[in-house]
Amino acid sequence: MDNLISKAKELLANGDIDLFIGYEKGTRLPRPVFISSLEDTGKLIFDDRCTGNLSVYLTRKDLVGGKRVGITASYYALKSISQLYDENQIKEDSLKVFGLIDNSLKQFGNIEEIKEYLKTATPPAKQTDDELVSQIDAMTMQERWEFWTNELSKCFKCYACRAACPMCYCTKCIVEVNRPQWVQPWAATASNMEWQINRVMHMAGRCSDCGSCGAACPLGLPVHILTHKMAALVKEHFGEQDGKGNVLSTFKPEDKETFIL
C-alpha cells in the first residue's frame, strides 16, 4: 500500500517514530515486520488478510522500550490498544496508530478517536467460530465437560496462547509462581484445565476476542472459544467494560448476585 509506505517513510525521516510495526508478505499469510530504516518501508503491506493482533508487541520492553512506535492495527488490535491504554500499559504520545477503514488507510489522532470508531464499527465475521460456539452451546453440561476434557488433555503447556495474547503482559505469570505452586508445571489434564480456567478468568472484561491464542496453538486447540464465550457472558451480565479493567477486580453495587448460593 503506497500510502502506508510513504507515511512510514515520512514518520521515520522526520524522527516522529523510531520503529514501525506492520505486516510484510509471508510464505502463506502476511507476517509481522519491524522496520527502523527508510529502505525497509517498501516491505509494508496492509489489507484485509492482515488480521493478526500486532498490539501484542507494544508491551515488549525489549522491542519497544523507550521508543516512539508506529503500528498498523486490525479491528481487534484497535480494541487491544484501547484496553492497553486504559490499563496504563502504553503512552498515547509515543504511538501512531493506523487502521484500515473501508479499504482506506486512516491514521487515528488519539485514543479517543479509536474508541469512537470502535463504538460503531462492525466486528469481522467469524463464521467458523460461531458455528463451533453453537455446537458447544447445544451440548449438555456432561457433553461439554467431555469435549473440553478431551481437547485440553492434548495440551503440552507450551504457553503459545499466553505469548500471543496482548493482555498477557505480566512480568511473572501465575504459571511461573512456585512459592506457592498455583498451577502444576507438567502437562496433565487437570492442570491443563486449571491453566486455561485461570487464563480465561484473567481475560474477563479485557479480551478483545481477536482469537490469537487459538491461532497460536500448535495443536489447533480452540482455546480462543473459551475467551470468546467469556467475553459474550461478561457483556450479557455486566455490559460493556469501557476500560474498567478486569471483571475480577471491578465491583459495582448494582452487580447481580445470583451466583451466590
Side-chain angles (χ1 to χ4, degrees):
M1 179 180 285
D2 292 340
N3 288 345
L4 177 61
I5 293 172
S6 61
K7 191 63 182 177
K9 279 185 177 178
E10 178 186 339
L11 291 171
L12 285 167
N14 294 341
D16 295 324
I17 62 171
D18 305 301
L19 176 70
F20 197 95
I21 303 174
Y23 304 90
E24 67 175 348
K25 183 178 179 181
T27 305
R28 294 186 301 109
L29 297 171
R31 63 189 179 195
V33 63
F34 309 96
I35 292 173
S36 56
S37 67
L38 298 178
E39 295 76 18
D40 288 339
T41 54
K43 298 179 181 179
L44 287 168
I45 63 171
F46 196 25
D47 54 38
D48 56 7
R49 298 172 301 153
C50 302
T51 56
N53 195 337
L54 298 182
S55 68
V56 67
Y57 299 109
L58 295 178
T59 56
R60 304 297 163 86
K61 299 295 190 295
D62 56 332
L63 177 68
V64 302
K67 295 179 181 178
R68 293 160 298 174
V69 178
I71 188 170
T72 48
S74 62
Y75 169 84
Y76 293 109
L78 290 172
K79 288 189 69 176
S80 294
I81 288 171
S82 174
Q83 186 66 34
L84 286 170
Y85 174 78
D86 288 328
E87 295 184 14
N88 299 311
Q89 296 303 309
I90 56 177
K91 295 180 180 179
E92 186 176 27
D93 57 359
S94 61
L95 186 63
K96 308 291 184 185
V97 181
F98 295 86
L100 195 62
I101 315 300
D102 297 327
N103 293 318
S104 297
L105 185 70
K106 174 180 173 57
Q107 180 176 355
F108 290 92
N110 51 48
I111 294 295
E112 289 306 315
E113 280 191 20
I114 294 176
K115 291 179 180 292
E116 286 301 313
Y117 166 72
L118 291 172
K119 285 179 180 179
T120 57
T122 303
K126 289 187 173 185
Q127 183 177 352
T128 302
D129 287 353
D130 291 342
E131 289 173 356
L132 180 54
V133 169
S134 296
Q135 291 173 21
I136 295 173
D137 284 347
M139 296 177 183
T140 64
M141 188 174 294
Q142 182 62 32
E143 290 171 336
R144 199 175 303 169
W145 176 258
E146 291 173 358
F147 171 82
W148 285 113
T149 299
N150 178 62
E151 289 296 313
L152 297 182
S153 66
K154 306 169 190 175
C155 172
F156 54 87
K157 285 211 175 87
C158 68
Y159 300 126
C161 51
R162 179 185 68 173
C165 179
M167 307 315 298
C168 285
Y169 53 75
C170 292
T171 54
K172 191 170 187 178
C173 178
I174 189 172
V175 297
E176 296 166 335
V177 175
N178 55 17
R179 295 184 180 180
Q181 188 85 61
W182 290 103
V183 179
Q184 295 173 347
W186 52 85
T189 302
S191 64
N192 293 349
M193 296 183 82
E194 286 175 356
W195 155 239
Q196 290 298 336
I197 289 170
N198 267 285
R199 187 181 69 85
V200 172
M201 288 173 66
H202 281 92
M203 291 301 109
R206 306 168 64 233
C207 175
S208 71
D209 199 23
C210 68
S212 292
C213 52
C217 179
L219 298 178
L221 305 182
V223 294
H224 63 295
I225 296 300
L226 293 169
T227 51
H228 172 86
K229 187 64 177 178
M230 176 65 81
L233 289 171
V234 165
K235 184 176 181 180
E236 177 185 348
H237 294 289
F238 298 99
E240 295 287 355
Q241 290 305 293
D242 292 331
K244 295 182 178 67
N246 193 329
V247 170
L248 290 177
S249 62
T250 304
F251 169 78
K252 293 185 293 185
E254 64 270 22
D255 281 345
K256 296 176 183 178
E257 296 183 352
T258 50
F259 63 90
I260 299 176
L261 299 179

